[in-house]
Each structure stands twice: as structure tokens, then as C-alpha cells.
């Protein structure tokens, strides 16, 4: 019977010392039947040398906190030490003893001598040490029966998962730039399927899949989970004939596999680029090289993804973060770009005895549109000094016209100012026309547009319009991506009006739209809502 | 850790160590041996038969003491290292530098 003894201890030095560690070890040894003296002495020596070294050096002599865990299995004794010391470089590789009369420097070499494996990893500013001593008493049978889970492996997996999460790629919609590569691989190798997979917790998820197979596979059945264990191509001509992987084979569905690992920017293996087939086949050295080249291509696209996800963070940061302090009013907004970044934005900021509200939609999507959107936002904000919305939009239009002309794009915008006491909103609608006011009696009014978009005609005479927001009224401004969530026509505005009547507050409306937008955003989806509280 | 010192009439201080000789106790052993040297005992025999645990810090204290004793013209020798201590001495190739004997008399014959 396999009995595992595990003890964990948190130490702070001072006052804790290696004596605290040795007292713990004494209780563990007492509970371990049949423990060989040589194993006990070796494990204790290794663990004491390790903790002494951490106490003395990891924080350059300063106070330190560390956690020690010791696990005694039938066939090995494993100890991990986790500390938050500042020292991240450890001379582990040099296991030689110092000259004979030296008083120091024997600790780590001694630890290496008496253990079967010593590993050090630094993850997120924390040192993780693992020392393993294989027990001499372990029989070949128990050795085989034990699952080979090493604590170092667990730490590697933690770093790997974090790197993958940071990529922000999981569960994102398919992208042509990845699909292109998998399609090409299918043609190039004449195989049934090719995939770009990510190994996420207990599943394999495909960013791109050409051919047969499912987007998600349990990790235990995944061949790519095997590929990420190494830095080389994993090629299995016939899974059924390979005892390591025979269990993963599916006759007439999954027999041949070749994969190459994919990496996060920090070098962690997060997934694989692979080809597979229902028939066994030979894979030549030349083909393996081609597979590696295609994997390198995917790798490059992944790096672009990483940059885009950073750009996305920057753009989300441009959306208003602070709630306006407007007693009697509720304000909410959301912007869900179709890609990492988009050409839509909404904005609000205090002006005089109220606030300015903007929603704009740049023609096009992606990075180019996002750069224009950021410019429009900045220009409109700086025009807040003008007394009215016409002055502001006029100034913005004048300074944007050259940029928009050069880029060959135009921007539709709803720009307004609200007097929060009277509820009077003045606005300019530059070719946008997707704003409605929903009244508590169930009626709704669309705020029609009478002006062209920004960037069409620099000589435009902007027309200012007015709408009164009475208690219980809700103004909803959306981008045309929201229409696509319904039937794609202006009729969608009726759906929004119905939604507004049912919803308790603006955030409920946003939550409903967000739920609809999940996974199907072909266009940027942006919503701005201003609701006046019911009269008391 | 317990340390006892016996002053033998033939110029040898016998230092008996019991318990763990580690990072916590190493400095005390050095002080005790230095004290014996200061009291004009040229030779020091360190009895390790009751040491249940010796690590690199304890070993470092023994080597530092050896150097201090030699500077005063004496010698430091070990007496009956326990099994674990013997293992550490061998693993670190120190069993030749810190020679071990079966008794104080064997370490320092005084005929």
C-alpha cells in the first residue's frame, strides 16, 4: 500500500532557524515506517543545507520568509522550498568542493551529492527549490506504480499557464492569419488536418483548425500536450504502434501525428502547431523541417497577437474610467472591438454644469481605425473649451480634416452636452443617426442626423439640435455593430427601446448587449447610455 | 547542542559535542574551542560520538577551529565521529584533513 506523508511549514528567519526545520523533519521521520538510515541522513542533510542557504543568502542576510514542504513517497523523498528572496542567480551547476581549508562553500555541493535531483526556478519574483532523494528501499515495482509528478514540474506548469493567460489568445474567435497557415499545411503535407493548439489547464484548445477534429480536447487525450514537453518536433508515424501514445490513437480517425511546440514571449511552451491524419504515414526529415518553418510563421503571428493585446489595453485605457458625479443621472458605456483594437469609442467628461458625451465610429476596423479614433477623441476633448457643441465640432472638424483626408476615412459621431439640472441636451449628429430616447410611457424618439460625417466636407455647416431628457427618459447611442447583433437594420433600435423599458438600470442594458455580442462581433460594438432617474 | 570541555593533564582539551552541529550551533563550538586555545591547551580533541547531525556550517566551524589551533602551534583531531558526521566528512573529502581516532589517547598519545 502506498502511504504518502506530507508536511508543510512556514518559517520566518529570524527567529526561525534550521533547528525549526530539523524538528519538523524529526516528526516526519518518526512517522515513516521502514525508512533507511542512509535515505534519512541524506534527505535531512540536503534539506538543511538548502534552507540554511536560503536563510543566509536569498535575501542577502536580511529577514526572510520561506515555506518548506516535505513529501515522503514510497520511492522518494521530495522537498520544496519557496522563498521571496531578492537573489535570483544561484551557482548550482558547479558542484565541486572548495579547497580543503576553506570554511565555507560546501553546502550546495553537499546537497547535490546526497540528492538525486536539485532544481531551482524563479517565477514571479519567487524562488522555488526542489530537492529529490530516491529511496534506496524502493522496489522496481513501486517505482513504476508511482505517477511521476515532480514538484518542479508543477512549478513549470504554473509558469506556462501564466504565460499563456498573459497572451490573451484563449477563446478568441478564429483569425484568417492563423487559418491561412493551417490550410496551407493541409495542402502542403497532404494530410487531413492541421491545427494550432494551446494547452490550457486540463484541455487542448485550437486557435485554428483545418480539417477534422474538435476545437477542444481533454488534455489527457491531447498529443500536443506531449509536444509541449519538449523543444523538438514530435513525429509519430503510427500512434497504434507506439506504446507511449497508443492510448491516444483513434482507429480511422487519429493515427498519424506530427507537431512542433509554440512559445510565449518568455520562452514557455504554450501550445503546438500540428498536422494529423486518420492513416499512418511516413514523415520525412524534409517534411519535419517544413513543419518547423510553418511553426515559426505561426510563432511570428503569435508575437503580433501579443503586441495587439497590449495595444488593446492602451485603447481600453482611453475609455472614460471615472464615473461622473451627476446626482439624478446614471451613465454607462461599453466598447467591444471586433479585433484586438477598433475604430469605435465613447467618451464623457464634465463641462460646466453638466457633461459632454461622445460616441464615434471610424470607418474600418483594426489598428488603422484605432489610431484615427484616438485622434478624434483627443481633438474633441480639447474642443471642450468652446461654449457650445457646434463650436466644438467645428474646431474638431477643422483640425481633423487634413488627417482624415490623408487617411481616406471618415468618422461618424454623436457629440452632445447635457445640462444636468434642466435635462436639456444639445447635440451635433455627424452622419451617425443611431441614437434614441426611450420614454417611460413606452414611446421612443430617434435622433435623426442632418449632417455628414467628419472628414467628408470641411466646409460643412454643423447644425445643433436639442432634445429634453425628462425624469425616467433613457438616451441610448450605439455604433452600427450593435445593429448587426439583431437584424442588421434600423429595426434593431426598436429592440433596444424594448430592452431599455425592461431594464432596471443602464448596466442591465449593457449586460444584455454584451451577452448578445459574445463571439459574434464582426464589427465593433459600442454603446453609450444616459438615463435620468425617475421623478421622486 | 551540548558542549562539554574536559582539560586533560597532558595538554589536551577534550571538547564533547552532543546534538546537532549546524548553522545555529556552529558559532558556539568555535568560541568554546577558541577559549580552550586561549587557556594554553595546544591540542584539541573534538568528540563527535554524540553528534546526531553535522552539516556544512558545523564542518566550517571545525575547519576554522583547526586553523586557530594550528596557529597556536597545536593540532585538532576528531574522536569517534557518529555515522552521519562520518558520512559528511567523507563526502566533503575532509576525513584526511580532520583525522578521526577511537579515543583521546589514540589521538594524542602522551607516553
Amino acid at each position: 500500500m502506498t502511504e504518502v506523508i506530507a508536511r508543510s511549514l512556514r518559517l520566518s528567519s529570524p527567529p526561525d532557524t534550521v533547528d525549526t526545520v530539523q524538528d519538523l523533519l524529526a516528526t516526519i521521520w518518526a512517522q515513516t515506517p521502514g525508512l533507511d538510515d542512509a535515505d534519512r541522513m541524506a534527505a535531512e542533510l540536503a534539506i538543511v543545507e538548502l534552507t540554511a542557504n536560503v536563510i543566509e543568502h536569498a535575501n542577502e542576510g536580511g529577514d526572510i520568509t520561506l515555506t518548506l514542504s516535505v513529501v515522503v513517497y514510497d520511492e522518494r523523498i521530495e522537498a520544496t522550498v519557496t522563498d521571496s528572496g531578492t537573489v535570483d542567480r544561484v551557482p548550482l551547476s558547479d558542484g565541486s568542493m572548495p579547497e580543503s581549508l576553506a570554511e565555507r562553500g560546501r553546502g550546495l555541493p553537499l546537497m547535490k551529492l546526497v540528492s538525486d535531483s536539485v532544481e531551482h526556478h524563479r517565477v514571479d519574483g519567487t524562488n522555488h527549490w526542489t530537492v529529490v532523494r530516491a529511496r534506496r528501499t524502493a522496489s522496481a515495482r513501486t517505482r513504476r506504480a508511482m505517477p511521476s509528478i515532480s514538484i518542479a514540474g508543477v512549478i513549470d506548469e504554473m509558469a506556462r499557464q501564466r504565460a499563456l493567460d498573459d497572451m490573451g489568445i484563449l477563446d478568441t474567435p478564429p483569425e484568417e492569419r492563423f487559418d491561412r497557415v493551417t490550410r496551407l499545411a493541409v495542402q502542403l503535407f497532404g494530410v487531413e488536418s492541421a491545427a494550432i493548439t494551446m494547452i490550457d489547464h486540463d484541455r487542448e484548445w485550437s486557435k485554428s483548425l483545418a480539417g477534422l477534429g474538435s476545437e477542444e480536447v481533454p488534455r489527457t487525450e491531447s498529443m500536443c500536450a506531449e509536444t509541449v514537453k519538449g523543444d523538438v518536433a514530435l513525429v509519430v508515424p503510427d500512434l497504434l504502434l507506439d506504446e507511449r501514445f497508443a492510448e491516444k490513437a483513434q482507429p480511422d480517425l487519429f493515427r498519424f501525428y506530427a507537431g512542433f511546440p509554440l512559445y510565449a514571449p518568455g520562452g514557455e511552451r504554450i501550445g503546438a502547431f500540428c498536422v494529423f491524419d486518420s492513416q499512418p504515414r511516413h514523415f520525412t526529415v524534409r517534411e519535419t523541417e517544413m513543419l518547423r518553418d510553418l511553426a515559426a510563421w505561426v510563432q511570428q503571428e503569435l508575437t503580433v497577437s501579443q503586441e495587439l493585446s497590449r495595444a488593446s489595453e492602451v485603447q481600453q485605457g482611453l475609455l472614460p474610467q471615472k464615473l461622473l458625479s451627476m446626482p439624478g443621472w446614471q451613465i454607462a458605456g461599453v466598447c467591444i472591438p471586433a479585433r484586438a483594437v477598433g475604430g469605435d469609442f465613447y467618451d464623457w467628461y464634465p463641462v460646466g454644469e453638466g457633461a459632454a458625451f461622445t460616441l464615434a465610429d471610424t470607418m474600418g476596423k483594426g489598428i488603422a481605425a484605432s489610431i484615427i479614433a484616438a485622434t478624434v477623441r483627443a481633438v474633441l476633448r480639447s474642443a471642450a473649451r468652446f461654449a457650445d457643441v457646434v463650436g466644438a465640432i467645428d474646431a474638431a472638424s477643422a483640425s481633423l480634416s487634413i488627417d482624415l483626408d490623408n487617411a481616406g476615412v471618415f468618422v461618424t459621431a454623436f457629440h452632445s452636452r447635457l445640462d444636468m439640472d434642466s435635462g436639456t441636451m444639445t447635440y451635433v449628429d455627424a452622419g451617425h443617426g443611431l441614437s434614441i430616447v426611450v420614454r417611460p410611457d413606452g414611446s421612443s424618439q430617434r435622433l435623426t442626423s442632418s449632417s455628414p460625417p467628419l472628414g467628408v466636407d470641411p466646409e460643412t455647416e454643423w447644425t445643433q439640435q436639442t432634445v429634453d431628457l425628462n425624469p425616467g427618459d433613457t438616451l441610448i447611442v450605439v455604433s452600427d455593430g450593435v445593429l448587426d447583433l439583431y437584424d442588421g437594420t434600423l429595426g434593431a433600435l426598436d429592440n433596444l427601446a424594448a430592452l431599455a423599458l425592461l431594464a432596471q438600470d443602464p448596466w442591465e442594458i449593457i449586460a444584455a448587449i454584451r451577452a448578445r455580442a459574445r463571439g459574434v462581433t464582426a464589427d465593433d460594438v459600442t454603446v453609450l447610455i444616459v438615463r435620468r432617474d425617475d421623478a421622486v | 547542542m551540548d558542549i562539554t570541555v574536559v582539560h586533560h593533564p597532558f595538554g589536551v582539551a577534550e571538547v564533547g559535542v552532543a546534538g546537532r552541529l549546524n548553522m545555529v550551533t556552529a558559532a558556539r563550538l568555535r568560541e568554546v574551542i577558541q577559549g580552550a586555545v586561549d587557556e594554553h591547551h595546544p591540542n584539541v580533541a573534538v568528540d563527535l560520538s554524540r553528534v546526531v547531525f553535522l552539516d556544512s556550517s558545523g564542518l566550517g566551524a571545525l575547519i576554522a577551529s583547526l586553523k586557530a589551533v594550528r596557529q597556536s602551534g597545536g593540532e585538532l583531531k576528531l574522536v569517534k565521529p557518529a555515522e552521519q558526521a562520518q558520512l559528511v566528512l567523507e563526502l566533503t573529502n575532509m576525513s584526511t584533513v580532520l583525522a578521526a581516532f577511537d579515543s583521546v589517547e589514540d589521538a594524542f598519545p602522551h607516553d
Side-chain angles (χ1 to χ4, degrees), chain A residues 17-19 22-23 26 37 41-42 44-45 48-49 52 55-56 97 100-103 106-107 110 113-114, chain B residues 20 22-24 30 53-57 59-60 63-64 66-67 70 83-84 87-88 91-94 97:
Chain A
T17 65
V18 288
D19 271 342
Q22 292 194 263
D23 292 343
D37 268 355
M41 288 191 292
E44 178 150 354
L45 186 57
V48 168
E49 293 295 352
I55 288 171
E56 209 169 358
M97 288 290 166
S100 66
L101 287 183
E103 292 164 36
R106 286 185 184 80
L110 200 50
L113 276 175
V114 294
Chain B
R20 296 171 190 153
N22 58 17
M23 189 179 162
V24 183
R30 281 187 66 166
F53 182 83
L54 171 71
D55 70 359
S56 65
S57 302
L59 189 61
I63 295 164
L66 170 70
K67 290 198 276 191
R70 282 182 179 169
E83 189 188 358
Q84 192 271 353
L87 173 81
V88 171
L91 285 171
T92 53
N93 303 320
M94 291 307 291
V97 179

Side-chain angles (χ1 to χ4, degrees), chain A residues 55-287:
Chain A
I55 288 171
E56 209 169 358
H57 301 298
N59 211 19
E60 292 165 289
D63 294 2
I64 191 156
T65 305
L66 58 112
T67 304
L68 166 72
S69 305
V70 181
V71 188
V72 182
Y73 300 95
D74 266 358
E75 39 64 277
R76 68 184 189 279
I77 301 166
E78 232 176 62
T80 48
V81 170
T82 303
D83 72 80
S84 52
T86 51
V87 175
D88 56 353
R89 281 175 196 285
V90 185
L92 250 189
S93 51
D94 185 13
S96 57
M97 288 290 166
E99 54 100 9
S100 66
L101 287 183
E103 292 164 36
R104 311 179 60 88
R106 286 185 184 80
L108 293 182
L110 200 50
M111 173 175 79
K112 290 194 83 173
L113 276 175
V114 294
S115 45
D116 291 276
S117 135
V118 178
E119 286 182 57
H120 171 249
H121 299 264
R122 192 168 169 88
V123 182
D124 297 336
T126 305
N127 293 311
H128 300 267
W129 294 85
T130 311
V131 177
V132 180
R133 163 80 183 191
R135 290 174 63 176
R136 300 298 178 253
T137 46
S139 69
R141 189 187 52 77
T142 55
R143 268 171 208 264
R144 238 198 341 269
M146 280 302 297
S148 61
I149 306 164
S150 112
I151 295 176
V154 172
I155 289 155
D156 266 354
E157 173 65 16
M158 275 165 54
R160 210 192 60 74
Q161 185 67 46
R162 172 176 279 267
L164 176 59
D165 291 342
D166 285 350
M167 300 275 296
I169 192 172
L170 286 170
D171 298 313
T172 53
E175 287 176 65
E176 175 57 23
R177 60 203 181 95
F178 291 113
D179 294 344
R180 193 181 297 146
V181 192
T182 46
R183 277 201 312 267
L184 179 66
V186 166
Q187 289 193 342
L188 205 58
F189 298 110
V191 290
E192 284 168 356
S193 315
I196 295 166
T197 64
M198 301 290 142
I199 304 302
D200 172 41
H201 294 288
D202 57 357
R203 64 169 180 156
E204 170 201 295
W205 173 80
S206 295
K207 172 65 186 173
S208 173
L209 176 64
L212 310 166
S214 19
E215 189 189 89
E216 215 172 296
V217 175
R219 185 166 178 170
T220 47
E221 293 168 20
S222 159
M223 275 303 292
C224 290
E226 302 294 331
T227 302
V228 299
K229 291 177 184 170
D231 283 315
V232 292
L234 176 62
V235 178
V236 186
D238 188 347
L239 289 163
L240 275 181
L241 298 183
D242 192 317
E243 62 173 21
R244 293 171 300 167
F245 310 121
E247 282 181 0
K248 295 183 202 271
Q250 297 171 51
D252 299 324
L253 205 69
F254 190 49
R255 289 282 294 275
F256 161 75
Y257 172 91
F260 202 87
L262 296 169
Y263 300 84
E268 300 86 357
R269 293 183 289 263
I270 52 167
F273 176 69
C274 68
V275 292
F276 50 97
D277 205 289
S278 65
Q279 298 304 316
R281 63 164 283 171
H282 181 61
F283 208 59
T284 63
V285 173
R286 172 85 194 96
E287 283 176 311

Side-chain angles (χ1 to χ4, degrees), chain B residues 15-70:
Chain B
V15 179
V17 186
R20 296 171 190 153
L21 186 43
N22 58 17
M23 189 179 162
V24 183
T25 52
R28 242 176 71 219
L29 176 67
R30 281 187 66 166
E31 284 165 22
V32 169
I33 296 178
Q34 186 62 49
V37 172
D38 292 344
E39 283 176 45
H40 308 294
H41 291 282
N43 295 320
V44 176
V46 185
D47 185 341
L48 295 181
S49 59
R50 288 178 297 147
V51 166
V52 296
F53 182 83
L54 171 71
D55 70 359
S56 65
S57 302
L59 189 61
L62 289 173
I63 295 164
S65 301
L66 170 70
K67 290 198 276 191
V69 171
R70 282 182 179 169

